[in-house]
Amino acid sequence: MPTSTENRGPAWLAAAALLATLTGCSKAVVLNPAGDIAAQQGDLVVTATLLMLIIIVPVILLTLLFAWKYRQSNTEAEYDPEWHHSTALELVIWSVPLIIIIALGALTWISTHKLDPYRPLDRISETKPLDPNVQPLEVQVVSMDWKWLFLYPEQGIATVNEFAAPVDRPIRFKLTATSTMAAFYVPDLAGMIYAMPGMETQLNAVINKEGTFKGMNSHYSGAGFSGMTFKFHGLSNEGFDAWVQQAKTEGKVLDRASYLDLVKPSERHPVTRFSSVQDGLYNRVLNMCVEEGKMCMHHMMAIDAAGGAAYMKKVGLNLPDDVCSVENADRVVALLDQRDSQGAVAQQ
């Protein structure tokens, strides 16, 4: 059935106006972040885009020019069906893109090394050098289903779905996960980095402005993905000390038992603070051995590196085929600790 197109024009105008208003809702965080690492990454995006526009803009303009000049109604346009080659035109067509590709390659190579997330910071901001006497703030991050756990080994506290850091102090993140891989991302701070079970990734960054910034899991990780967000507070030194003291006063203890309760899947978990953290908890999470009696991965890898079952028999510890069982885990760990201590004494 024919439909009327009488109101199609106004409808398109209204849609365009609505789109224009929506663009005003975004702060373009990637291009205007509050942290130096994210700012350098934003500058890289702008520089790469401008380099590519050197080709894109002339091609678009020439396409419009050729379409206008050689239109059917223009009988004065030169027509040469025998034309097939121009050395000057070939040089322009191939040399300019080649130069741009070389420039992009060099820029990418330099930036990849300079902005390596594992690389310690060499400055606080473009105008502020790094103080060699300032130690980075270490934050241990654990991705759970579907929440974030932040541990502060220096301060002895932990939080869920909230973390804070002083302005202009380097931050060194160590990240792992409990089950599903997640992507840790604070757009104002730095680029995203993965957190994976049984592995540790690192990220070095700094925040240069006070404020509250959004953090998230930028990759889908299951049913509770949409609520896997947190708040990052950039604070003054005094404000950070007060935030830590508040956690110590109001929080509860994070030990192995409370961790095993916390690690159970939950959606949109409220902000929670812990006044103290059991020693070695993060390492147990990383090595997937928080449960009582479970052998840690680094102990298992040490057995494999020493020769596996053959090594265990050699040292006189006859175990069943399943050397990971709860019943013999303590014996194996004690044996490995004894071997390590004897090796340390021998080196002295």
Side-chain angles (χ1 to χ4, degrees), residues 69 83 168 193 215 238 285 319:
K69 183 176 180 180
W83 183 90
D168 289 343
I193 189 164
E238 295 77 12
V285 174
L319 297 174

Side-chain angles (χ1 to χ4, degrees), residues 299-315:
H299 288 135
M300 178 56 63
M301 289 186 287
I303 295 173
D304 291 340
Y311 166 75
M312 303 308 294
K313 292 180 180 179
K314 179 181 177 181
V315 297

Side-chain angles (χ1 to χ4, degrees), residues 60-132:
I60 293 175
L61 294 178
L62 288 172
T63 300
L64 297 175
L65 175 64
F66 291 161
W68 176 81
K69 183 176 180 180
Y70 297 104
R71 67 193 184 277
Q72 185 177 6
S73 61
N74 185 12
T75 57
E76 297 180 359
E78 182 181 355
Y79 176 64
D80 185 5
E82 300 299 324
W83 183 90
H84 66 282
H85 180 74
S86 170
T87 301
L89 189 58
E90 289 284 347
L91 287 174
V92 172
I93 290 174
W94 291 104
S95 61
V96 175
L98 180 61
I99 292 172
I100 293 176
I101 290 172
I102 293 173
L104 282 172
L107 181 66
T108 302
W109 189 90
I110 294 171
S111 300
T112 299
H113 290 80
K114 184 179 181 181
L115 299 176
D116 182 354
Y118 282 70
R119 180 180 178 179
L121 301 184
D122 55 9
R123 73 181 198 185
I124 295 299
S125 68
E126 188 176 5
T127 58
K128 188 172 183 179
L130 178 69
D131 185 352

Side-chain angles (χ1 to χ4, degrees), residues 76-288:
E76 297 180 359
E78 182 181 355
Y79 176 64
D80 185 5
E82 300 299 324
W83 183 90
H84 66 282
H85 180 74
S86 170
T87 301
L89 189 58
E90 289 284 347
L91 287 174
V92 172
I93 290 174
W94 291 104
S95 61
V96 175
L98 180 61
I99 292 172
I100 293 176
I101 290 172
I102 293 173
L104 282 172
L107 181 66
T108 302
W109 189 90
I110 294 171
S111 300
T112 299
H113 290 80
K114 184 179 181 181
L115 299 176
D116 182 354
Y118 282 70
R119 180 180 178 179
L121 301 184
D122 55 9
R123 73 181 198 185
I124 295 299
S125 68
E126 188 176 5
T127 58
K128 188 172 183 179
L130 178 69
D131 185 352
N133 297 320
V134 175
Q135 293 296 321
L137 173 68
E138 182 175 326
V139 182
Q140 298 165 340
V141 184
V142 181
S143 168
M144 300 177 171
D145 293 337
W146 288 271
K147 50 190 169 286
W148 296 93
L149 172 65
F150 301 95
L151 300 99
Y152 290 77
E154 179 183 342
Q155 288 74 24
I157 64 170
T159 59
V160 175
N161 285 344
E162 179 189 59
F163 89 95
V167 169
D168 289 343
R169 179 177 176 181
I171 311 170
R172 179 178 297 142
F173 294 97
K174 295 182 178 180
L175 304 101
T176 189
T178 57
S179 57
T180 309
M181 181 174 72
F184 177 83
Y185 186 34
V186 182
D188 275 284
L189 193 63
M192 72 171 191
I193 189 164
Y194 289 115
M196 295 168 280
M199 300 179 64
E200 181 182 84
T201 51
Q202 296 183 22
L203 176 66
N204 287 274
V206 64
I207 195 71
N208 301 119
K209 299 177 182 178
E210 292 187 35
T212 300
F213 311 100
K214 183 179 180 179
M216 69 190 81
N217 173 16
S218 60
H219 281 33
Y220 182 75
S221 61
F225 158 75
S226 60
M228 197 172 173
T229 61
F230 58 89
K231 290 184 178 180
F232 165 44
H233 302 289
L235 305 172
S236 64
N237 289 329
E238 295 77 12
F240 179 71
D241 292 340
W243 181 81
V244 171
Q245 188 58 41
Q246 183 181 11
K248 287 181 175 293
T249 303
E250 301 176 357
K252 46 190 176 181
V253 176
L254 180 62
D255 54 16
R256 293 166 71 172
S258 56
Y259 171 86
L260 291 175
D261 184 62
L262 177 66
V263 79
K264 297 175 182 177
S266 62
E267 298 185 25
R268 303 187 185 277
H269 196 284
V271 172
T272 308
R273 299 184 179 94
F274 297 93
S275 59
S276 62
V277 180
Q278 183 174 339
D279 291 341
L281 181 62
Y282 173 76
N283 287 329
R284 285 189 171 273
V285 174
L286 174 62
N287 286 283
M288 306 178 74

